[in-house]
Amino acid sequence: MSAGNSDDKPNLRSIASLAGVSHMTVSRVLNDHPNIRPETREKVLRVVEELNYQRNSAARALATRKSRRIGVIVDRPVEIGPDSTLRAVEHAAREAGYSVSSVAASPDDDGVRPREAVAYLTAHGIDALCVIAPRASSVDVLRELTEGLPTLIVKADDDPNFLTASVDQRLGATLAVQHLMDLGHREIVHVAGPLDWLDARARERGWHAHLKKAGLHIPPAFVGDWSADSGYEFAVAFDELPPFTAIFAANDQMALGILHGFRDRGIRVPEDVSVVGFDDLPVSRHFLPTLTTVRQDFHALGTLALEILVAALEGGSTERRSRIAPELIVRESTAGPRGM
């Protein structure tokens, strides 16, 4: 089968001529129109494959008024969780025939503000928006800016304005606290992430709620900044054994700093204090001791977020709120409380 001159790029009319159909029928097949007879669709697609036809994305955008581009705003992309989720969104988008334009945003003075990020992405003709690792302040701004634009926020709580997808943060905190309780711990401190971050807030609430449900003492949470340095700062403040016997850290990096700080103070983990992290970073199995933590499947989360947005764009059915269960990974940094 030949399209004529080998220097000519195939187009809708050459495909139509070889398939024996109208160019409008070819267009309907390429746009996956439902009212096409199976034998006609098969004939057109066979010609498309033989000609190695690649439809021009700009022409498709003009014809359908859709760019097949997803915009992504990600806060703190240097953190492993947000970066891993972004990469999963990008991979799933390619598989679905979409492209991704991403912007790193931050409400801090030296970063791109959420308002500027939305303006940049909408100027590039995105069909939908995904926001990863949002802060509460960012979500409040987005409510004003995304009306009419399908938008998914990666966060655990319901939202009347947005689609949401998340790993169940409260369940993850519950798994961590219950594991420590099952070992016999009754004084469990939380080293939280910045509480403007929705994930940090959900983990802190999960820790608080589970201790309250068990009738245990609820000490004040120490608020870190996600970094190992903030975990180290917390740990080295103790010159002797602390009054608690276990720590639930809101991420593995702060847990790493805690392990380092306790070692410098001569406090043993887990003999004196047990430590649980959150995320299950690839390096957490190499901490000394190896870290008990809560695993988040970032790849599954990014894939789910993209699938929900594509379903919203293409008329498929989707839940407004979707959650993935986390998993407790037990390693060497937890044991029964000292004195038992």
Side-chain angles (χ1 to χ4, degrees):
M1 185 176 290
S2 171
N5 189 334
S6 60
D7 293 330
D8 292 337
K9 292 183 178 180
N11 54 38
L12 295 187
R13 293 190 181 277
S14 62
I15 294 171
S17 176
L18 289 169
V21 298
S22 71
H23 74 277
M24 288 301 296
T25 297
V26 174
S27 178
R28 291 190 184 100
V29 169
L30 294 177
N31 284 297
D32 204 24
H33 195 282
N35 297 326
I36 299 290
R37 289 184 297 176
E39 58 269 25
T40 300
R41 186 184 304 277
E42 182 179 349
K43 183 164 53 175
V44 169
L45 292 177
R46 186 166 59 248
V47 174
V48 166
E49 182 178 355
E50 291 179 359
L51 295 182
N52 194 27
Y53 173 70
Q54 300 291 326
R55 190 172 185 191
N56 181 275
S57 61
R60 180 186 179 96
L62 288 172
T64 65
R65 298 184 181 273
K66 291 184 178 180
S67 64
R68 297 186 71 82
R69 180 179 294 116
I70 306 294
V72 180
I73 298 174
V74 55
D75 205 336
R76 289 284 288 270
V78 295
E79 302 290 353
I80 292 177
D83 178 65
S84 299
T85 305
L86 171 61
R87 286 188 280 111
V89 169
E90 291 172 336
H91 176 79
R94 288 193 299 271
E95 293 292 312
Y98 284 78
S99 62
V100 169
S101 296
S102 62
V103 176
S106 171
D108 299 334
D109 291 339
D110 59 348
V112 176
R113 302 296 182 91
R115 189 178 299 275
E116 296 167 347
V118 172
Y120 172 83
L121 291 171
T122 53
H124 282 73
I126 60 171
D127 296 331
L129 179 66
C130 175
V131 184
I132 299 172
R135 308 186 194 201
S137 54
S138 301
V139 173
D140 290 340
V141 171
L142 292 171
R143 296 188 205 285
E144 308 169 13
L145 303 176
T146 57
E147 185 174 354
L149 179 69
T151 300
L152 181 140
I153 309 290
V154 177
K155 72 187 190 82
D157 296 330
D158 287 326
D159 195 293
N161 302 103
F162 304 118
L163 300 165
T164 64
S166 72
V167 174
D168 192 331
Q169 303 296 313
R170 284 201 179 204
L171 175 58
T174 299
L175 291 174
V177 174
Q178 185 61 51
H179 168 65
L180 293 168
M181 289 169 52
D182 289 345
L183 290 172
H185 294 278
R186 294 297 178 264
E187 292 290 336
I188 303 169
V189 165
H190 182 43
V191 177
L195 294 180
D196 186 41
W197 288 62
L198 297 179
D199 283 352
R201 189 179 297 181
R203 292 170 205 174
E204 189 274 339
R205 288 174 176 170
W207 161 79
H208 187 282
H210 203 60
L211 289 183
K212 183 177 180 180
K213 180 180 178 181
L216 298 181
H217 172 242
I218 304 173
F222 174 87
V223 179
D225 63 6
W226 296 128
S227 72
D229 284 345
S230 66
Y232 182 85
E233 177 187 349
F234 168 80
V236 295
F238 299 97
D239 292 324
E240 55 187 25
L241 285 178
F244 50 83
T245 62
I247 298 171
F248 165 43
N251 76 342
D252 288 353
Q253 288 164 295
M254 291 192 297
L256 172 61
I258 291 167
L259 296 180
H260 182 191
F262 278 162
R263 180 185 176 191
D264 284 356
R265 285 290 187 254
I267 297 172
R268 301 167 301 165
V269 176
E271 292 86 353
D272 297 324
V273 180
S274 287
V275 178
V276 179
F278 204 107
D279 284 339
D280 192 30
L281 302 183
V283 295
S284 66
R285 67 177 70 96
H286 301 294
F287 291 0
L288 292 175
T290 58
L291 185 66
T292 295
T293 187
V294 176
R295 175 178 293 165
Q296 300 196 83
D297 189 336
F298 297 115
H299 179 78
L301 177 58
T303 301
L304 175 64
L306 193 281
E307 289 174 350
I308 292 170
L309 281 175
V310 169
L313 287 171
E314 299 183 355
S317 61
T318 183
E319 297 290 334
R320 290 197 61 82
R321 179 188 185 190
S322 300
R323 288 185 292 180
I324 297 171
E327 179 185 2
L328 178 71
I329 305 298
V330 178
R331 297 194 180 102
E332 298 171 344
S333 65
T334 52
R338 58 183 181 264
M340 282 188 66

